[in-house]
Amino acid sequence: MGRLFLVDLEGKTYNCKFCKTQLGQVDDLVSKAFHCRNGKAYLFNNVVNITFGQSEERTMLSGKHTVTDIFCCCCGQILGWKYEKAHEKSQKYKEGKFVLERGRIIDGEVDSEFYIDTRASTSDGEDTM
């Protein structure tokens, strides 16, 4: 599979709720007034450390759009979607922007003292056989 290289963001960030991977900076946040099936969502100019699904046509509350689901590159959880194309003129401002579902992200300044890493790992001192 290969080595995973993550983009390290500076300043206040939003992170994956499931694995704490940095996703976006507060400076790239466009709007907190978006909604998805599961509740609130945030619109960003740019996000990092993601992978993309297949593009598809979806009819949303604001009209028909071509979107691509986005996933955390570390844990694979779905995070939201990217607007590829808006079919209505009034929605063109969304093209190229990303929506992260609020229930799937956390504020990067949340105290991680009580975060328990559940990912499997080994160190030099552990027997791997």
Side-chain angles (χ1 to χ4, degrees):
M1 183 171 165
R3 178 176 269 180
L4 183 64
F5 291 97
L6 299 176
V7 175
D8 190 25
L9 300 174
E10 302 218 0
K12 190 173 185 311
T13 62
Y14 288 96
N15 301 348
C16 175
K17 175 182 176 180
F18 306 97
C19 69
K20 311 299 187 259
T21 299
Q22 292 180 326
L23 300 170
Q25 294 179 304
V26 170
D27 294 343
D28 282 324
L29 182 62
V30 176
S31 175
K32 291 184 176 183
F34 275 67
H35 289 83
C36 61
R37 289 183 197 143
N38 301 319
K40 293 183 178 184
Y42 293 174
L43 183 68
F44 287 82
N45 279 322
N46 189 42
V47 295
V48 296
N49 300 324
I50 58 168
T51 58
F52 295 94
Q54 295 292 318
S55 293
E56 62 181 49
E57 299 289 322
R58 288 191 194 150
T59 302
M60 301 180 167
L61 293 175
S62 59
K64 193 171 190 175
H65 300 274
T66 303
V67 298
T68 302
D69 285 334
I70 56 176
F71 303 86
C72 177
C73 70
C74 287
C75 68
Q77 289 288 325
I78 188 165
L79 299 169
W81 63 91
K82 179 181 181 184
Y83 285 106
E84 298 290 340
K85 183 175 184 199
H87 297 279
E88 295 183 25
K89 200 173 211 177
S90 66
Q91 301 299 309
K92 293 285 186 187
Y93 75 95
K94 295 178 182 176
E95 290 182 348
K97 293 185 173 49
F98 301 84
V99 172
L100 297 179
E101 295 183 17
R102 183 65 186 109
R104 297 184 168 277
I105 60 174
I106 58 170
D107 184 324
E109 290 186 351
V110 170
D111 186 2
S112 61
E113 180 180 334
F114 298 106
Y115 170 65
I116 299 171
D117 188 354
T118 58
R119 295 176 286 178
S121 64
T122 59
S123 68
D124 293 339
E126 293 178 339
D127 186 8
T128 58
M129 292 193 180

